[in-house]
């Protein structure tokens, strides 16, 4: 009886392992060798911010993409904020869809178009005297195009992404004129990361 249980367990594990290889390999139509990508923004890191993005492959041509950016006066322009007796924090969330115009079959690589929704929250607080503070919120959209490279062999999984485009934001700030509440900014992104 014990031998039968061992044989059944071995057979079950073998079948499970074979199915897992088929699902995770390149044989599954529409899926790829790399289904997830983690990246960090290069320009934001040099400027003192933290920019992290995650991409999940939905099919051969499309991916869901989310990016989070955090900037704080404790990292960026510390001397300026300290001299002004201010403390500031800023968080931005950018969710979108990437459509690959040209794409390698086994990885999310190639020229793409991306559209996304932006949500921002910021806070500035005075640290001395009367502790005044101001909050602001913004909603908007982003459109960009770019190219993503995923290395398949040398440094397998290394990913680089460069994109250009534009951001539109509508700010919701108390006592702000409606003419000043809309803004359009150019976008230049460079990020590096790892695909798996």
């Amino acid at each position: 009886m014990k031998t039968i249980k061992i044989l059944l367990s071995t057979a079950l594990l073998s079948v499970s392992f074979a199915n897992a290889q088929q699902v995770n390999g390149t044989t599954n139509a529409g899926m790829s060798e790399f289904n997830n990508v983690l990246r960090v923004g290069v320009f934001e890191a040099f400027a003192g911010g933290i920019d992290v993005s995650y991409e999940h492959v939905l099919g051969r041509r499309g991916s869901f993409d989310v990016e989070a950016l955090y900037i704080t006066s404790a990292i960026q322009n510390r001397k300026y904020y300290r001299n002004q007796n201010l403390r500031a924090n800023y968080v931005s969330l950018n969710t979108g869809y990437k459509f690959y115009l040209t794409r390698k079959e086994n990885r999310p690589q190639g020229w793409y178009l991306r559209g996304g929704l932006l949500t921002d929250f910021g806070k500035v607080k005075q640290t001395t005297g009367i502790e005044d503070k101001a909050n602001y919120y913004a909603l908007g959209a982003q459109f960009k195009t770019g190219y993503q490279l995923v290395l398949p062999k040398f440094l397998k999984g290394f990913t680089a992404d460069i994109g250009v485009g534009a951001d539109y934001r509508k700010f919701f700030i108390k006592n702000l004129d409606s003419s000043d509440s809309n803004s359009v900014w150019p976008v230049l992104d460079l990020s590096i990361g790892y695909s798996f």
Side-chain angles (χ1 to χ4, degrees):
M1 189 67 172
K2 188 175 183 181
T3 307
I4 293 173
K5 286 182 182 178
I6 292 172
L7 288 174
L8 284 175
S9 299
T10 305
L12 185 62
L13 285 172
S14 299
V15 170
S16 299
F17 183 73
N19 286 338
Q21 281 185 331
Q22 282 184 341
V23 169
N24 292 329
T26 57
T27 58
N28 193 4
M31 297 306 283
S32 67
E33 182 181 350
F34 301 103
N35 291 321
N36 301 288
V37 183
L38 281 174
R39 294 181 305 269
V40 293
V42 174
F43 297 142
E44 292 81 0
F46 283 127
I50 300 169
D51 180 16
V52 178
S53 59
Y54 170 74
E55 178 181 348
H56 179 71
V57 175
L58 298 175
R60 188 170 185 275
R61 293 274 187 168
S63 295
F64 170 75
D65 194 42
V66 62
E67 177 182 6
L69 172 65
Y70 177 65
I71 298 173
T72 176
S73 59
I75 299 173
Q76 189 178 43
N77 293 331
R78 287 182 292 182
K79 187 176 180 182
Y80 169 80
Y81 284 104
R82 190 170 51 246
N83 290 342
Q84 299 293 323
N85 297 316
L86 295 174
R87 183 179 300 143
N89 293 302
Y90 168 79
V91 177
S92 179
L93 185 64
N94 181 351
T95 57
Y97 180 79
K98 261 186 180 177
F99 177 76
Y100 285 90
L101 301 170
T102 60
R103 184 179 186 272
K104 298 285 185 182
E105 285 187 22
N106 65 340
R107 56 192 185 274
Q109 173 176 297
W111 293 103
Y112 64 83
L113 298 174
R114 184 190 186 278
L117 299 175
L118 300 169
T119 307
D120 296 348
F121 172 74
K123 181 189 289 186
V124 179
K125 183 177 179 182
Q126 192 168 347
T127 58
T128 59
I130 301 171
E131 291 194 359
D132 288 336
K133 64 180 179 179
N135 298 335
Y136 76 85
Y137 308 92
L139 294 174
Q142 181 187 76
F143 178 77
K144 74 176 180 180
T145 183
Y147 187 86
Q148 181 164 273
L149 170 71
V150 179
L151 296 182
K153 292 181 182 176
F154 177 70
L155 296 175
K156 184 174 182 178
F158 174 80
T159 304
D161 186 316
I162 186 162
V164 294
D167 284 351
Y168 165 78
R169 284 179 171 84
K170 179 170 179 60
F171 291 95
F172 300 94
I173 304 174
K174 208 174 192 180
N175 302 323
L176 182 68
D177 294 337
S178 59
S179 61
D180 295 329
S181 66
N182 299 315
S183 71
V184 177
W185 290 90
V187 172
L188 176 61
D189 283 337
L190 174 63
S191 59
I192 57 172
Y194 179 72
S195 297
F196 55 98

